[in-house]
């Protein structure tokens, strides 16, 4: 039977749009919080009942909405954030499509209450608050006076009351609230300058004060949301290139996680999930994480709005970069550089920026110049140690710890750290424990080193340096390997011949859909070359670059380094232990071994004082 073409009612159009924007209570909260942030608020209060299905209210102290615009705010495709195509091509706000409020109102009982700031209010508002309600038929009722401070509240009840099929797809109250809470946490991570309160069924779940530019407040927000110790075990990052800036924190690889549950990436303040970003991060961590482990990070990418398209997905979860290859390489190199520095080569987690706020450098910050080798003779020195809260000081002679020169005098070639110019970052060796651990005393406290793990990383980095310096050994295959591929992959091979040659691979095209591998790096002569070539071409097709060969070579070098490292229970002399410490200070990525485990830990003086109840 023929059905005539007809225009849909505006209410039904909004309900259809709600299927794109309103998946569950969590997506409602996301849209409403983003509107509050765009309104310039300083605090957001979220009240939730029964996971957000029965009731959900978001209140802010932003600029508010004048009386004559309340109904317009609930109209489809009505927004104050985009006026023409130029605005759409350089979106600088979190919300801009004008779909969220009308879509939410079409599947709930919604009341919008607002009081505009005097600078925003209409002449006849007299500074009063007004509210409007959306009826079951989608019609907006006339504004009526209300009691409300400057700002806006969106109060909705009975989500999906008029679309029972959608409501059946909701999970338990506990599950729905878990998704909602995660959204609030993600946004709160990006905006430490905003205070947040989240209540569920009358119980306070989150109460976060605004940091107000205070570095301690920023780090406290980080630890409150991601667990105590996140900031202490993370590496601060702040890199810029051309129009790009990447800043935030990455957890030290030695403290990686079994799940990818602490990975937060923001583009111009917007939380996104992007394959290009994920690939760049995975490549940067590939050489420092054990198999099956996941990095943890909170990272912010700042990029000119004209170079990123945020109008890709109705819920704005995805973005598209105009220069994807450039962004990928910038992320990869910035992260790789910071991970190579570790905790010895750069400032601690208290230095850097977080969500657009600057945090001052910590007392332990070091620069490249701080770890240079001294050109003047060293003299026996003393070390100052703090005891208790009163910060009483005592002097402990360290001359006995220094490695002696052939003349029986203290060694003159010692690195110069920050603070005391006589004591290296990892200090001087005290003893060897159980044949496995090296104990050293530094200006910051007690250093404990896993001898085998540290020596393994040193050997591994040396092998990699030799490999990358061009000492590449190729080996022709006695029987060339034929690989069947798609025509597109065969075409791709011909455009990537220079890249493959640099990797030590000689691969030629035999036909429309076949290749032949003639030479491979000697280190990979036992590898599954067919699988490697297929994975390599897949990466090149998807991302324009691949680290497959480098990863395979690194795996071989790591095995070689492991076999060449100092074995457990070998007794080291004091000079050998100090030589190991000095090598550690000069090697990249020394914080963790080739398997992702820590190579050394520091127990600070304050921690030691607490262990023995000193100063109490």
């Amino acid at each position: 039977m023929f059905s005539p073409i007809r225009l849909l009612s505006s209410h039904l159009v909004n309900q259809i749009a709600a299927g794109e924007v309103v998946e569950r209570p969590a997506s409602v909260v996301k849209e409403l919080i983003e509107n509050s942030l765009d309104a310039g608020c300083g605090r957001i209060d979220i009240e939730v009942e029964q996971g957000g299905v029965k009731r959900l209210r978001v209140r802010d102290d932003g600029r508010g909405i004048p009386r004559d615009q309340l109904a317009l705010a609930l109209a489809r495709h009505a927004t104050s954030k985009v006026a023409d195509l130029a605005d759409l091509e350089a979106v600088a706000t979190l919300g801009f499509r004008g779909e969220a409020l009308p879509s939410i109102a079409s599947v709930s009982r919604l009341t919008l209450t607002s009081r505009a700031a005097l600078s925003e209010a209409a002449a006849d508002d007299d500074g009063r608050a007004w509210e409007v309600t959306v009826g079951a038929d989608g019609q907006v009722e006339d504004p009526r006076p209300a009691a409300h401070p400057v700002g806006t509240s969106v109060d909705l009840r009975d989500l999906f009351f008029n679309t029972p099929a959608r409501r059946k797809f909701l999970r338990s109250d506990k599950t729905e609230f878990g998704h909602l809470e995660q959204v609030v946490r993600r946004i709160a991570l990006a905006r430490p300058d905003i205070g947040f309160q989240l209540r569920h069924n009358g119980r306070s779940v989150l109460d976060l004060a605004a940091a107000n530019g205070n570095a301690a407040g920023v780090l406290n927000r980080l630890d409150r949301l991601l667990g105590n110790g996140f900031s202490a075990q993370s590496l601060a990052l702040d890199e810029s290139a051309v129009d790009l800036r990447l800043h935030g924190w990455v957890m030290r690889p030695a403290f990686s996680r079994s799940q990818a549950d602490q990975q937060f990436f923001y583009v111009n303040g917007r939380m996104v999930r992007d394959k290009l970003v994920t690939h760049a991060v995975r490549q940067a961590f590939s050489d420092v994480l054990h198999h099956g482990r996941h990095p943890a990070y909170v990272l912010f990418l700042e990029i000119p709005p004209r170079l990123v398209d945020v109008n890709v997905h109705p819920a704005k979860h995805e973005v598209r970069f105009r220069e994807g290859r450039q962004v990928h390489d910038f992320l990869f190199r910035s992260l790789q550089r910071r991970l190579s520095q570790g905790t010895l080569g750069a400032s601690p987690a208290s230095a850097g920026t977080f969500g657009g706020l600057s945090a001052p450098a910590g007392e332990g910050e070091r620069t490249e110049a701080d770890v240079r080798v001294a050109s003047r003779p060293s003299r026996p020195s003393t070390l100052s140690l703090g005891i208790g809260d009163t910060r009483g000081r005592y002097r402990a002679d360290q001359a006995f710890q220094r490695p002696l020169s052939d003349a029986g005098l203290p060694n003159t070639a010692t690195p110069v750290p920050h603070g005391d110019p006589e004591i290296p970052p990892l200090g001087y060796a005290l003893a060897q424990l159980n044949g496995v651990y090296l104990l050293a005393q530094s200006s910051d406290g007690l250093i404990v080193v896993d001898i085998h793990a540290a020596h393994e990383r040193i050997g591994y980095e040396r092998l990699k340096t030799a490999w990358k310096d061009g000492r590449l050994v190729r080996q022709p295959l006695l029987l060339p390997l034929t690989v069947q591929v798609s025509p597109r992959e065969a075409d791709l091979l011909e455009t990537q011949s220079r890249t493959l040659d640099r990797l030590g691979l000689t691969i030629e095209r035999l036909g429309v859909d076949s290749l032949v591998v003639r030479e491979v790096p000697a280190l990979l002569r036992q590898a599954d070359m067919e699988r490697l070539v297929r994975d390599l071409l897949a990466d090149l097709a998807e991302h324009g670059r691949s680290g497959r060969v480098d990863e395979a070579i690194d795996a071989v070098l790591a095995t070689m380094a492991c076999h060449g490292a100092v074995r457990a229970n070998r007794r080291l002399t004091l000079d050998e232990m100090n030589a190991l410490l000095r090598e550690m200070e000069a090697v990249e990525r020394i914080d963790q071994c080739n398997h992702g485990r820590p190579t050394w830990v520091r127990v600070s003086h304050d921690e030691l004082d607490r262990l023995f109840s000193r100063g109490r």
Side-chain angles (χ1 to χ4, degrees), residues 76-114:
R76 186 167 170 77
H77 296 313
T79 177
S80 62
K81 303 162 189 177
V82 175
D84 52 34
L85 181 61
D87 293 337
L88 187 62
E89 292 177 343
V91 174
T93 55
L94 296 175
F96 58 90
R97 297 169 65 104
E99 292 177 315
L101 276 179
S103 297
I104 295 168
S106 71
V107 291
S108 67
R109 306 182 193 277
L110 184 143
T111 299
L112 174 62
T113 310
S114 190

mmCIF file of all heavy atoms in Angstrom, residues 76-114:
data_model
loop_
_atom_site.group_PDB
_atom_site.id
_atom_site.type_symbol
_atom_site.label_atom_id
_atom_site.label_comp_id
_atom_site.label_asym_id
_atom_site.label_seq_id
_atom_site.Cartn_x
_atom_site.Cartn_y
_atom_site.Cartn_z
ATOM 1 N N ARG A 76 14.199 23.999 18.425
ATOM 2 C CA ARG A 76 15.192 23.199 17.697
ATOM 3 C C ARG A 76 16.099 24.091 16.843
ATOM 4 O O ARG A 76 15.650 25.013 16.171
ATOM 5 C CB ARG A 76 14.459 22.194 16.811
ATOM 6 C CG ARG A 76 15.381 21.206 16.106
ATOM 7 C CD ARG A 76 14.553 20.074 15.520
ATOM 8 N NE ARG A 76 15.326 19.218 14.643
ATOM 9 C CZ ARG A 76 16.190 18.285 15.067
ATOM 10 N NH1 ARG A 76 16.367 18.099 16.351
ATOM 11 N NH2 ARG A 76 16.847 17.545 14.204
ATOM 12 N N HIS A 77 17.391 23.774 16.890
ATOM 13 C CA HIS A 77 18.410 24.493 16.131
ATOM 14 C C HIS A 77 18.431 25.974 16.474
ATOM 15 O O HIS A 77 18.644 26.831 15.597
ATOM 16 C CB HIS A 77 18.214 24.311 14.625
ATOM 17 C CG HIS A 77 18.386 22.896 14.178
ATOM 18 N ND1 HIS A 77 19.445 22.110 14.564
ATOM 19 C CD2 HIS A 77 17.612 22.107 13.383
ATOM 20 C CE1 HIS A 77 19.330 20.908 14.022
ATOM 21 N NE2 HIS A 77 18.221 20.880 13.313
ATOM 22 N N ALA A 78 18.221 26.289 17.748
ATOM 23 C CA ALA A 78 18.362 27.668 18.231
ATOM 24 C C ALA A 78 19.569 27.706 19.152
ATOM 25 O O ALA A 78 19.654 26.936 20.104
ATOM 26 C CB ALA A 78 17.102 28.097 18.986
ATOM 27 N N THR A 79 20.527 28.573 18.853
ATOM 28 C CA THR A 79 21.758 28.620 19.644
ATOM 29 C C THR A 79 22.345 30.018 19.604
ATOM 30 O O THR A 79 22.147 30.758 18.633
ATOM 31 C CB THR A 79 22.799 27.604 19.113
ATOM 32 O OG1 THR A 79 24.017 27.721 19.855
ATOM 33 C CG2 THR A 79 23.093 27.835 17.637
ATOM 34 N N SER A 80 23.074 30.356 20.650
ATOM 35 C CA SER A 80 23.756 31.650 20.701
ATOM 36 C C SER A 80 25.223 31.513 20.305
ATOM 37 O O SER A 80 25.973 32.483 20.353
ATOM 38 C CB SER A 80 23.676 32.211 22.127
ATOM 39 O OG SER A 80 24.342 31.338 23.039
ATOM 40 N N LYS A 81 25.631 30.306 19.889
ATOM 41 C CA LYS A 81 27.060 30.022 19.735
ATOM 42 C C LYS A 81 27.531 29.965 18.290
ATOM 43 O O LYS A 81 28.731 29.996 18.026
ATOM 44 C CB LYS A 81 27.390 28.696 20.446
ATOM 45 C CG LYS A 81 26.984 28.735 21.924
ATOM 46 C CD LYS A 81 26.884 27.358 22.533
ATOM 47 C CE LYS A 81 26.270 27.426 23.929
ATOM 48 N NZ LYS A 81 26.088 26.106 24.537
ATOM 49 N N VAL A 82 26.603 29.850 17.349
ATOM 50 C CA VAL A 82 26.957 29.793 15.932
ATOM 51 C C VAL A 82 25.993 30.698 15.169
ATOM 52 O O VAL A 82 24.783 30.590 15.340
ATOM 53 C CB VAL A 82 26.864 28.352 15.386
ATOM 54 C CG1 VAL A 82 27.113 28.344 13.885
ATOM 55 C CG2 VAL A 82 27.873 27.443 16.084
ATOM 56 N N ALA A 83 26.561 31.573 14.330
ATOM 57 C CA ALA A 83 25.706 32.485 13.546
ATOM 58 C C ALA A 83 25.831 32.252 12.052
ATOM 59 O O ALA A 83 24.880 32.456 11.310
ATOM 60 C CB ALA A 83 26.056 33.935 13.872
ATOM 61 N N ASP A 84 27.002 31.807 11.593
ATOM 62 C CA ASP A 84 27.187 31.596 10.164
ATOM 63 C C ASP A 84 28.190 30.472 9.947
ATOM 64 O O ASP A 84 28.696 29.863 10.890
ATOM 65 C CB ASP A 84 27.649 32.877 9.467
ATOM 66 C CG ASP A 84 28.859 33.507 10.144
ATOM 67 O OD1 ASP A 84 29.706 32.749 10.669
ATOM 68 O OD2 ASP A 84 28.969 34.744 10.131
ATOM 69 N N LEU A 85 28.505 30.208 8.688
ATOM 70 C CA LEU A 85 29.393 29.106 8.336
ATOM 71 C C LEU A 85 30.791 29.296 8.915
ATOM 72 O O LEU A 85 31.444 28.337 9.333
ATOM 73 C CB LEU A 85 29.472 28.961 6.815
ATOM 74 C CG LEU A 85 30.351 27.814 6.292
ATOM 75 C CD1 LEU A 85 29.825 26.472 6.797
ATOM 76 C CD2 LEU A 85 30.408 27.825 4.769
ATOM 77 N N ALA A 86 31.256 30.534 8.971
ATOM 78 C CA ALA A 86 32.584 30.796 9.523
ATOM 79 C C ALA A 86 32.664 30.356 10.978
ATOM 80 O O ALA A 86 33.677 29.811 11.416
ATOM 81 C CB ALA A 86 32.923 32.284 9.389
ATOM 82 N N ASP A 87 31.588 30.589 11.739
ATOM 83 C CA ASP A 87 31.562 30.144 13.132
ATOM 84 C C ASP A 87 31.591 28.623 13.219
ATOM 85 O O ASP A 87 32.246 28.041 14.095
ATOM 86 C CB ASP A 87 30.300 30.655 13.837
ATOM 87 C CG ASP A 87 30.299 32.169 14.003
ATOM 88 O OD1 ASP A 87 31.397 32.761 13.990
ATOM 89 O OD2 ASP A 87 29.208 32.753 14.128
ATOM 90 N N LEU A 88 30.876 27.963 12.318
ATOM 91 C CA LEU A 88 30.811 26.503 12.340
ATOM 92 C C LEU A 88 32.162 25.884 12.000
ATOM 93 O O LEU A 88 32.498 24.798 12.476
ATOM 94 C CB LEU A 88 29.749 26.020 11.344
ATOM 95 C CG LEU A 88 29.440 24.518 11.361
ATOM 96 C CD1 LEU A 88 28.898 24.094 12.711
ATOM 97 C CD2 LEU A 88 28.459 24.162 10.254
ATOM 98 N N GLU A 89 32.948 26.568 11.183
ATOM 99 C CA GLU A 89 34.253 26.039 10.782
ATOM 100 C C GLU A 89 35.328 26.298 11.820
ATOM 101 O O GLU A 89 36.450 25.814 11.682
ATOM 102 C CB GLU A 89 34.663 26.652 9.439
ATOM 103 C CG GLU A 89 33.790 26.185 8.285
ATOM 104 C CD GLU A 89 34.158 26.847 6.977
ATOM 105 O OE1 GLU A 89 34.852 27.895 7.028
ATOM 106 O OE2 GLU A 89 33.763 26.334 5.921
ATOM 107 N N ALA A 90 35.010 27.049 12.863
ATOM 108 C CA ALA A 90 35.982 27.325 13.931
ATOM 109 C C ALA A 90 35.246 27.372 15.272
ATOM 110 O O ALA A 90 35.252 28.380 15.963
ATOM 111 C CB ALA A 90 36.718 28.630 13.665
ATOM 112 N N VAL A 91 34.585 26.266 15.618
ATOM 113 C CA VAL A 91 33.787 26.207 16.837
ATOM 114 C C VAL A 91 34.689 26.305 18.066
ATOM 115 O O VAL A 91 35.652 25.552 18.201
ATOM 116 C CB VAL A 91 32.970 24.895 16.889
ATOM 117 C CG1 VAL A 91 32.261 24.768 18.222
ATOM 118 C CG2 VAL A 91 31.974 24.865 15.747
ATOM 119 N N ALA A 92 34.373 27.241 18.949
ATOM 120 C CA ALA A 92 35.184 27.450 20.148
ATOM 121 C C ALA A 92 34.410 27.159 21.428
ATOM 122 O O ALA A 92 34.899 27.422 22.519
ATOM 123 C CB ALA A 92 35.712 28.888 20.179
ATOM 124 N N THR A 93 33.194 26.627 21.298
ATOM 125 C CA THR A 93 32.376 26.290 22.465
ATOM 126 C C THR A 93 32.130 24.784 22.483
ATOM 127 O O THR A 93 32.316 24.100 21.482
ATOM 128 C CB THR A 93 31.030 27.016 22.421
ATOM 129 O OG1 THR A 93 30.379 26.725 21.173
ATOM 130 C CG2 THR A 93 31.215 28.522 22.563
ATOM 131 N N LEU A 94 31.693 24.285 23.643
ATOM 132 C CA LEU A 94 31.431 22.852 23.760
ATOM 133 C C LEU A 94 30.137 22.474 23.063
ATOM 134 O O LEU A 94 30.031 21.441 22.419
ATOM 135 C CB LEU A 94 31.388 22.454 25.239
ATOM 136 C CG LEU A 94 32.704 22.630 26.002
ATOM 137 C CD1 LEU A 94 32.514 22.337 27.479
ATOM 138 C CD2 LEU A 94 33.786 21.725 25.426
ATOM 139 N N GLY A 95 29.097 23.289 23.219
ATOM 140 C CA GLY A 95 27.828 23.057 22.543
ATOM 141 C C GLY A 95 27.661 24.061 21.422
ATOM 142 O O GLY A 95 28.169 25.171 21.503
ATOM 143 N N PHE A 96 26.947 23.672 20.362
ATOM 144 C CA PHE A 96 26.760 24.626 19.259
ATOM 145 C C PHE A 96 25.661 24.196 18.297
ATOM 146 O O PHE A 96 25.239 24.976 17.448
ATOM 147 C CB PHE A 96 28.063 24.784 18.460
ATOM 148 C CG PHE A 96 28.583 23.501 17.877
ATOM 149 C CD1 PHE A 96 28.206 23.095 16.610
ATOM 150 C CD2 PHE A 96 29.433 22.694 18.601
ATOM 151 C CE1 PHE A 96 28.671 21.903 16.080
ATOM 152 C CE2 PHE A 96 29.904 21.501 18.084
ATOM 153 C CZ PHE A 96 29.525 21.100 16.812
ATOM 154 N N ARG A 97 25.143 22.968 18.432
ATOM 155 C CA ARG A 97 24.198 22.465 17.441
ATOM 156 C C ARG A 97 22.758 22.888 17.717
ATOM 157 O O ARG A 97 21.910 22.795 16.836
ATOM 158 C CB ARG A 97 24.283 20.936 17.373
ATOM 159 C CG ARG A 97 25.639 20.427 16.915
ATOM 160 C CD ARG A 97 25.768 18.934 17.123
ATOM 161 N NE ARG A 97 24.832 18.187 16.296
ATOM 162 C CZ ARG A 97 25.176 17.528 15.186
ATOM 163 N NH1 ARG A 97 26.424 17.564 14.764
ATOM 164 N NH2 ARG A 97 24.279 16.860 14.499
ATOM 165 N N GLY A 98 22.439 23.303 18.946
ATOM 166 C CA GLY A 98 21.083 23.731 19.263
ATOM 167 C C GLY A 98 20.076 22.604 19.292
ATOM 168 O O GLY A 98 18.882 22.826 19.065
ATOM 169 N N GLU A 99 20.543 21.375 19.556
ATOM 170 C CA GLU A 99 19.657 20.217 19.558
ATOM 171 C C GLU A 99 19.414 19.644 20.945
ATOM 172 O O GLU A 99 18.414 18.962 21.170
ATOM 173 C CB GLU A 99 20.254 19.099 18.689
ATOM 174 C CG GLU A 99 20.305 19.406 17.209
ATOM 175 C CD GLU A 99 20.968 18.269 16.447
ATOM 176 O OE1 GLU A 99 22.008 17.782 16.909
ATOM 177 O OE2 GLU A 99 20.449 17.873 15.405
ATOM 178 N N ALA A 100 20.331 19.891 21.877
ATOM 179 C CA ALA A 100 20.297 19.182 23.157
ATOM 180 C C ALA A 100 19.023 19.448 23.943
ATOM 181 O O ALA A 100 18.277 18.514 24.275
ATOM 182 C CB ALA A 100 21.530 19.549 23.981
ATOM 183 N N LEU A 101 18.735 20.718 24.259
ATOM 184 C CA LEU A 101 17.574 21.019 25.110
ATOM 185 C C LEU A 101 16.244 20.568 24.498
ATOM 186 O O LEU A 101 15.442 19.910 25.179
ATOM 187 C CB LEU A 101 17.544 22.506 25.455
ATOM 188 C CG LEU A 101 18.401 22.945 26.644
ATOM 189 C CD1 LEU A 101 18.283 24.441 26.861
ATOM 190 C CD2 LEU A 101 18.002 22.199 27.908
ATOM 191 N N PRO A 102 15.947 20.901 23.240
ATOM 192 C CA PRO A 102 14.671 20.423 22.690
ATOM 193 C C PRO A 102 14.590 18.904 22.608
ATOM 194 O O PRO A 102 13.515 18.326 22.800
ATOM 195 C CB PRO A 102 14.607 21.072 21.301
ATOM 196 C CG PRO A 102 16.000 21.480 20.996
ATOM 197 C CD PRO A 102 16.647 21.790 22.288
ATOM 198 N N SER A 103 15.703 18.234 22.337
ATOM 199 C CA SER A 103 15.692 16.773 22.276
ATOM 200 C C SER A 103 15.427 16.171 23.645
ATOM 201 O O SER A 103 14.639 15.231 23.784
ATOM 202 C CB SER A 103 17.024 16.254 21.719
ATOM 203 O OG SER A 103 17.237 16.693 20.400
ATOM 204 N N ILE A 104 16.076 16.719 24.673
ATOM 205 C CA ILE A 104 15.867 16.236 26.039
ATOM 206 C C ILE A 104 14.425 16.497 26.473
ATOM 207 O O ILE A 104 13.764 15.646 27.073
ATOM 208 C CB ILE A 104 16.863 16.908 27.002
ATOM 209 C CG1 ILE A 104 18.298 16.482 26.664
ATOM 210 C CG2 ILE A 104 16.535 16.570 28.455
ATOM 211 C CD1 ILE A 104 19.365 17.301 27.368
ATOM 212 N N ALA A 105 13.920 17.691 26.129
ATOM 213 C CA ALA A 105 12.553 18.049 26.532
ATOM 214 C C ALA A 105 11.514 17.157 25.866
ATOM 215 O O ALA A 105 10.433 16.941 26.421
ATOM 216 C CB ALA A 105 12.283 19.512 26.173
ATOM 217 N N SER A 106 11.826 16.608 24.705
ATOM 218 C CA SER A 106 10.854 15.785 23.990
ATOM 219 C C SER A 106 10.679 14.401 24.593
ATOM 220 O O SER A 106 9.718 13.695 24.258
ATOM 221 C CB SER A 106 11.260 15.653 22.519
ATOM 222 O OG SER A 106 12.420 14.830 22.392
ATOM 223 N N VAL A 107 11.608 13.977 25.485
ATOM 224 C CA VAL A 107 11.525 12.631 26.073
ATOM 225 C C VAL A 107 11.522 12.693 27.606
ATOM 226 O O VAL A 107 11.880 11.721 28.273
ATOM 227 C CB VAL A 107 12.680 11.730 25.573
ATOM 228 C CG1 VAL A 107 12.515 11.412 24.101
ATOM 229 C CG2 VAL A 107 14.036 12.381 25.839
ATOM 230 N N SER A 108 11.146 13.826 28.171
ATOM 231 C CA SER A 108 11.096 13.962 29.626
ATOM 232 C C SER A 108 10.130 15.090 29.984
ATOM 233 O O SER A 108 9.650 15.810 29.117
ATOM 234 C CB SER A 108 12.497 14.266 30.189
ATOM 235 O OG SER A 108 12.932 15.551 29.762
ATOM 236 N N ARG A 109 9.882 15.231 31.277
ATOM 237 C CA ARG A 109 9.081 16.372 31.769
ATOM 238 C C ARG A 109 10.088 17.420 32.239
ATOM 239 O O ARG A 109 10.668 17.293 33.319
ATOM 240 C CB ARG A 109 8.175 15.919 32.910
ATOM 241 C CG ARG A 109 7.308 14.719 32.548
ATOM 242 C CD ARG A 109 6.388 14.348 33.696
ATOM 243 N NE ARG A 109 5.765 13.044 33.507
ATOM 244 C CZ ARG A 109 4.673 12.813 32.788
ATOM 245 N NH1 ARG A 109 4.077 13.834 32.167
ATOM 246 N NH2 ARG A 109 4.167 11.599 32.667
ATOM 247 N N LEU A 110 10.311 18.449 31.431
ATOM 248 C CA LEU A 110 11.422 19.382 31.648
ATOM 249 C C LEU A 110 10.927 20.764 32.081
ATOM 250 O O LEU A 110 9.957 21.290 31.528
ATOM 251 C CB LEU A 110 12.259 19.507 30.379
ATOM 252 C CG LEU A 110 13.527 20.368 30.454
ATOM 253 C CD1 LEU A 110 14.638 19.745 29.614
ATOM 254 C CD2 LEU A 110 13.269 21.796 29.997
ATOM 255 N N THR A 111 11.636 21.307 33.077
ATOM 256 C CA THR A 111 11.399 22.678 33.521
ATOM 257 C C THR A 111 12.721 23.438 33.445
ATOM 258 O O THR A 111 13.745 22.967 33.956
ATOM 259 C CB THR A 111 10.872 22.710 34.968
ATOM 260 O OG1 THR A 111 9.636 22.002 35.029
ATOM 261 C CG2 THR A 111 10.659 24.146 35.433
ATOM 262 N N LEU A 112 12.699 24.586 32.809
ATOM 263 C CA LEU A 112 13.880 25.436 32.649
ATOM 264 C C LEU A 112 13.675 26.708 33.460
ATOM 265 O O LEU A 112 12.723 27.453 33.230
ATOM 266 C CB LEU A 112 14.092 25.770 31.173
ATOM 267 C CG LEU A 112 15.205 26.756 30.814
ATOM 268 C CD1 LEU A 112 16.566 26.218 31.228
ATOM 269 C CD2 LEU A 112 15.185 27.052 29.313
ATOM 270 N N THR A 113 14.547 26.932 34.433
ATOM 271 C CA THR A 113 14.466 28.108 35.304
ATOM 272 C C THR A 113 15.756 28.896 35.195
ATOM 273 O O THR A 113 16.843 28.310 35.239
ATOM 274 C CB THR A 113 14.251 27.692 36.776
ATOM 275 O OG1 THR A 113 13.167 26.767 36.861
ATOM 276 C CG2 THR A 113 13.972 28.898 37.643
ATOM 277 N N SER A 114 15.649 30.215 35.072
ATOM 278 C CA SER A 114 16.860 31.004 34.916
ATOM 279 C C SER A 114 16.652 32.430 35.389
ATOM 280 O O SER A 114 15.537 32.984 35.322
ATOM 281 C CB SER A 114 17.302 31.020 33.444
ATOM 282 O OG SER A 114 18.586 31.592 33.307
#
